[in-house]
Amino acid sequence: MSLRIVVCVKYVPDATGDRKFADDLTVDREDVDGLLSELDEYAVEQALQIAEEADDAEVTVLTVGPEDARDALRKALSMGADKAVHVDDESIHGSDVMATSLVLAKAIEKTGYDLVIAGMASTDGTMGVLPAILAERLGVPQVTLLSEVKVEDGKVTGRRDGDTASEQLEASLPAVVSVTDQSGEARYPSFKGIMAAKKKPVEELELDDLDIDEDEVGLAGSWTAVDSADERPARTAGTIVKDEGEGGKQLAEYLASQKFI
């Protein structure tokens, strides 16, 4: 039986661009270039490596987002994923991690899976809790923050590296895992892969396809919301301390005044 791997990926604003909030205090995704979240590339890479080691495996990449989010799927498909699923519905706009996890869970169940892989966090929200919430919604084990992952004999195993020690973890399939940026450099899409990605299937889903009501997602269905936001003030010139024999003292006094020491 084929090993069904689903990789959750996200289309995020380019971190090098001028990111800001829209009028409704959600992240402005229209006036800035977007791309596949870098941390999700590691998840795609690990899925492809697992599939290459398996006798029979299929890698599906899944995203929730507007039309432009297809670019993230195409990047993952050009890396080597077999097919993609895109959940695009205007009612999803403004969804927090709880609402988004509901949509992802329903889409994963509809797609069918043995293993779900995610990055350790998105590069825009950087919460890092979605894999755990997703596992809870699916009712399966979670093995998170792995720097090494393998699948064998119906189990997923991996190594989680901490500041002072490493843990070896194991769970029976089906399961949800997340991988860190230490799991291995993501491959660069080849020209052949980019051309092949254009012919790979991308399934389009809406909320009705997933039996989700509009009031369960979006700003209305989210558990959290942004009440206010101010632009970060422009960077000002710092304090310059000239060393004319008293430099060390002046520096210490300044640090003390700022409560750094």
Side-chain angles (χ1 to χ4, degrees):
M1 182 177 179
S2 177
L3 175 65
R4 299 167 300 173
I5 305 173
V6 177
V7 187
C8 297
V9 300
K10 190 175 184 181
Y11 182 74
V12 299
D14 190 341
T16 62
D18 183 18
R19 295 181 292 178
K20 58 184 179 179
F21 285 110
D23 292 339
D24 61 358
L25 294 180
T26 60
V27 177
D28 183 358
R29 301 180 185 276
E30 295 184 359
D31 297 328
V32 64
D33 292 334
L35 71 171
L36 170 63
S37 177
E38 180 184 359
L39 293 174
D40 290 342
E41 291 187 17
Y42 295 98
V44 175
E45 176 61 32
Q46 291 307 304
L48 296 175
Q49 290 189 23
I50 292 170
E52 289 166 358
E53 292 292 327
D55 293 332
D56 185 15
E58 182 178 62
V59 177
T60 302
V61 285
L62 164 65
T63 197
V64 175
E67 183 179 353
D68 289 345
R70 291 175 68 96
D71 291 344
L73 294 177
R74 289 299 179 194
K75 172 68 177 295
L77 290 172
S78 67
M79 291 173 65
D82 299 298
K83 61 180 183 178
V85 176
H86 182 195
V87 184
D88 182 8
D89 196 298
E90 290 185 0
S91 299
I92 297 174
H93 172 73
S95 295
D96 68 355
V97 67
M98 296 301 297
T100 301
S101 67
L102 172 63
V103 179
L104 285 171
K106 292 287 189 179
I108 289 169
E109 290 175 336
K110 184 177 182 65
T111 301
Y113 71 101
D114 299 299
L115 179 66
V116 178
I117 304 180
M120 61 186 291
S122 63
T123 54
D124 55 352
T126 65
M127 291 187 68
V129 297
L130 187 139
I133 299 173
L134 198 54
E136 180 68 18
R137 288 195 181 278
L138 294 171
V140 299
Q142 56 169 303
V143 186
T144 56
L145 300 176
L146 301 180
S147 55
E148 181 181 274
V149 57
K150 294 182 180 180
V151 173
E152 191 174 21
D153 299 328
K155 295 181 180 179
V156 56
T157 60
R159 189 185 76 245
R160 178 191 293 157
D161 295 324
D163 292 335
T164 59
S166 295
E167 300 174 286
Q168 290 292 333
L169 306 173
E170 177 182 287
S172 299
L173 298 179
V176 174
V177 306
S178 68
V179 297
T180 72
D181 53 359
Q182 302 301 310
S183 58
E185 196 69 26
R187 67 192 66 186
Y188 191 81
S190 64
F191 177 76
K192 181 179 179 181
I194 293 172
M195 298 305 295
K198 297 180 180 180
K199 299 180 180 180
K200 293 180 179 179
V202 178
E203 182 180 7
E204 296 280 353
L205 297 176
E206 298 180 348
L207 291 183
D208 288 343
D209 301 313
L210 303 175
D211 295 324
I212 297 176
D213 294 330
E214 291 184 3
D215 59 3
E216 295 181 274
V217 298
L219 292 171
S222 293
W223 292 26
T224 59
V226 177
D227 291 329
S228 63
D230 296 314
E231 288 191 19
R232 182 168 53 189
R235 183 175 295 179
T236 58
T239 300
I240 299 175
V241 176
K242 294 183 178 180
D243 187 6
E244 297 177 350
E246 296 289 329
K249 181 180 178 180
Q250 293 180 53
L251 180 59
E253 290 175 348
Y254 174 76
L255 292 175
S257 69
Q258 300 297 315
K259 297 182 179 180
F260 291 136
I261 59 174

